[in-house]
Amino acid sequence: GLDYKKIRTKIKNFTANGWTNVGDAIKIANEELINSHNSTRFKFEILLSDGIANRPLGVGDPKAYALAQAQAAKNNNIKIYTISLGVNADQNLMQQIANRTDGEHYYSPTTNELKAIFDIIAKKIPTKLVS
């Protein structure tokens, strides 16, 4: 099983460095869901970001790359719920990503709104696909 203590420690040790690689975040999550996913389960991602896509380098426009990865998610029946965090967040890109996958977009100007947003998203996640 997953070592949640180790995961929490890794998350707590993250530091912001000014770069936001939205596209590769979606790509890696897609690969994980596609390669190790039970096909009877609902596939979804939650993208929590400022949405200011400025990485990776070498892919052309990082925003277009992020949208291409969102399309790849859609093509694999993966829904993305996006949360724009911070007053300067690129809500437009985050909304486009959610729209592309039939997901939903939420805005959290501060961290104070996050619990309520996660509660809303949790109620939208089915436990299994309807056949």
Side-chain angles (χ1 to χ4, degrees):
L2 292 173
D3 183 346
Y4 290 105
K5 186 175 181 180
K6 186 184 258 184
I7 292 169
R8 282 189 198 98
T9 300
K10 282 189 168 193
I11 290 171
K12 286 179 182 178
N13 290 331
F14 281 142
T15 56
N17 62 9
W19 308 121
T20 305
N21 190 342
V22 175
D24 277 343
I26 296 170
K27 180 181 179 187
I28 292 166
N30 288 348
E31 290 169 355
E32 180 66 25
L33 288 172
I34 292 163
N35 295 327
S36 64
H37 187 70
N38 178 335
S39 63
T40 65
R41 298 286 180 186
F42 177 73
K43 294 185 283 188
F44 71 97
E45 300 166 15
I46 298 174
L47 176 62
L48 170 64
S49 175
D50 65 8
I52 303 171
N54 52 23
R55 289 290 185 275
L57 299 175
V59 296
D61 177 14
K63 286 185 181 187
Y65 177 73
L67 290 169
Q69 296 308 317
Q71 185 61 51
K74 169 71 174 173
N75 295 347
N76 285 282
N77 299 312
I78 299 169
K79 186 176 285 200
I80 302 177
Y81 296 92
T82 60
I83 305 170
S84 295
L85 179 61
V87 294
N88 295 319
D90 186 343
Q91 292 185 66
N92 183 44
L93 176 63
M94 297 290 275
Q95 180 71 62
Q96 288 179 58
I97 290 167
N99 289 352
R100 188 150 300 184
T101 67
D102 300 322
E104 294 182 15
H105 171 257
Y106 301 90
Y107 173 53
S108 184
T110 70
T111 57
N112 296 331
E113 298 82 14
L114 289 176
K115 183 182 182 319
I117 292 169
F118 279 111
D119 288 344
I120 292 167
I121 293 171
K123 290 176 183 159
K124 295 179 181 289
I125 307 301
T127 55
K128 63 182 175 180
L129 294 174
V130 177
S131 8

